[in-house]
Amino acid sequence: MIEGLSGAARDGVITVILLVPLLATGLICLRGFQLWPLLAGLFRRHRALSATFIFLIAVSVGMGASLIAQERALREATARSAEKFDLIVAAPGSEFTAMLATVYLETTALPLLDGAAYARVANHEHVTFAAPLAFGDSWQGAPVVGTTEAFVLHLGGHLAEGRVFETIEEAVIGASVALEIGDTFEPVHGDGSQGLLDAHGFELTAVGKLPRTGSPWDRAILVPVEQVWEVHALPNGHGPDWTGRLGPPFDTAHFPGTPAILVSGDALWANYALRSAFNSGETMAFFPGTIIAELHVIMGDIQQVMSVLTLIAQGLVVLSVLTGLALLARLLARRLALLRALGAPQRFILALTWSFSTLLIISGAACGLILAFASSALISATITARTGILVEAGLGWGEMHMIAGYVSAAGLFALLPAFFVSRRSPVIDLRG
């Protein structure tokens, strides 16, 4: 029946279906009774205890929902960060390590590919462009990456401000770098943790700024690869008759090496052919997206474990709340017995006790929903600040279904203490 509905409508219907048992129970229990004055009196009388129960439920629901939403957002963010990296060619070794260095700019020492290896990649008939990536320098924690104009335009699609570098004294900055067009700066070797002694004494000028990509490259500084080579006293990739024109073609004999090459093929099928062609004893070719997909499979298993642990935690909270409500019912025994003595039927006592329990559960779940929104935003901001990966976690229908199912199931379980309270003899409670 719901297969023909749109995605949002179908999810909304599923949410309502999950709440149907609770709604049906409420209609049956409350039929013919006006309980609100008594319920309001119970909440006022036991404010501290009610607030404690609501807090426990809110923490359980909020943290469970936010962690599941965070896992989904992190999966989407990591996949988005690798969108521009079609095929990576590096020296044989760990694909995962090479991916961390190239896609996520993790500081890692990678072996270099020589000029012959680069020429074999760049001159392949199906290669649109092959951009060398040279790492090793930074400015105030922002990694400085040597590359070519083709990579700059491929990464950003266009520039948000300024232009692409035209000389080795110019740079293009990421969207999150604390520089503006026209600013000059001096890179240092490594991450700069060893102080100003690592400075190269070579100033660069920011001439362009990339749009925000939501990846670690937002905090990167892109410079001509020739600049990285020259500042480290290496050949600049061109012969003695170099005219100063940046980028390819490079001279094989004067190519000092690059840890990785970003390759783009002229068609989708060509990328697969290129991966096979460049997977040899001298080079290693891989799709970053494939590695991330494998990681997502593992993360999916972790997500399932987290979901189970969340359900267990919520079940324990419900059990503790129901136990507390049973104890609270004992404290209210004389008042409930007096109501029975005045002629209140057993169903009235059951409805009153169940309504009080269910309102605590619903209030806790509502507060948990607010807590989930707040904690998701806080965790996302922390991950983004620490990794440079733009993580935007928001609660989806999956979390809504979980909360709806939780509230409905907890409401049904709340019938147990309410039933036993309604069956107690008022004579015993009045005497006690």
Side-chain angles (χ1 to χ4, degrees), residues 87-92 95 113 116-130 261-265 270-287:
L87 180 66
I88 297 292
V89 178
E95 294 181 351
L113 296 172
Y118 175 81
R120 186 166 68 91
V121 173
N123 295 331
H124 194 282
E125 60 178 341
H126 292 298
V127 170
T128 303
F129 75 87
I261 307 170
L262 173 66
V263 178
S264 181
N271 286 329
Y272 289 91
L274 293 173
R275 182 182 62 171
S276 299
F278 300 145
N279 261 325
S280 62
E282 298 178 355
T283 57
M284 170 185 70
F286 63 92
F287 297 128

Side-chain angles (χ1 to χ4, degrees), residues 79-86 88 102-105 129 131-133 135 143-160 164-165 172-177 209-223 262 264 388:
R80 184 174 59 248
S81 296
E83 285 180 352
K84 294 294 184 178
F85 294 83
D86 302 331
I88 297 292
T102 53
V103 177
Y104 300 107
L105 297 177
F129 75 87
L133 301 176
F135 313 101
V144 175
V145 183
T147 186
T148 63
E149 176 183 354
F151 176 79
V152 174
L153 297 177
H154 174 77
L155 182 64
H158 63 279
L159 293 185
V164 181
F165 46 69
V172 174
I173 57 177
S176 299
V177 177
K209 191 168 189 175
L210 287 167
R212 189 168 298 278
T213 64
S215 73
W217 287 83
D218 285 338
R219 56 184 176 88
I221 299 173
L222 279 63
V223 301
L262 173 66
S264 181

